[in-house]
């Protein structure tokens, strides 16, 4: 158990001393960019899905 506590303590020390954290403004800007690309990608995926639905409906209507 001592090794585990020592590991956690060292990990927190590493995070405080050796990690370079971005500025808050940069975090906000990058979060907005990720959110926008996620929405755009979701809409494109939805569009492609709807295109395939229409194509398959047309194909099966031709087979009838």
């Amino acid at each position: 158990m001592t090794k585990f506590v020592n590991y956690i303590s060292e990990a927190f020390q590493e995070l405080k001393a050796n990690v370079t954290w971005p500025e808050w403004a940069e975090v906000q800007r990058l979060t907005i960019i990720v959110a926008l690309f996620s929405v755009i990608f979701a809409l494109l995926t939805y569009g492609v899905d709807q295109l395939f639905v229409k194509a398959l409906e047309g194909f099966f209507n031709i087979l009838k």
Side-chain angles (χ1 to χ4, degrees):
M1 186 69 176
T2 306
K3 287 183 179 182
F4 178 73
V5 171
N6 191 27
Y7 173 78
I8 296 297
S9 175
E10 288 177 4
F12 276 110
Q13 184 61 30
E14 179 96 17
L15 287 172
K16 283 194 244 179
N18 297 333
V19 174
T20 303
W21 297 99
E23 297 293 325
W24 180 244
E26 184 180 8
V27 171
Q28 289 176 325
R29 182 179 60 83
L30 293 176
T31 301
I32 290 170
I33 291 171
V34 168
L36 285 174
F37 274 105
S38 297
V39 169
I40 291 169
F41 187 73
L43 290 173
L44 287 173
T45 302
Y46 173 77
V48 170
D49 182 55
Q50 291 301 309
L51 180 69
F52 280 124
V53 166
K54 298 292 182 191
L56 286 174
E57 284 176 351
F59 175 72
F60 286 118
N61 283 336
I62 291 172
L63 289 179
K64 283 185 177 181

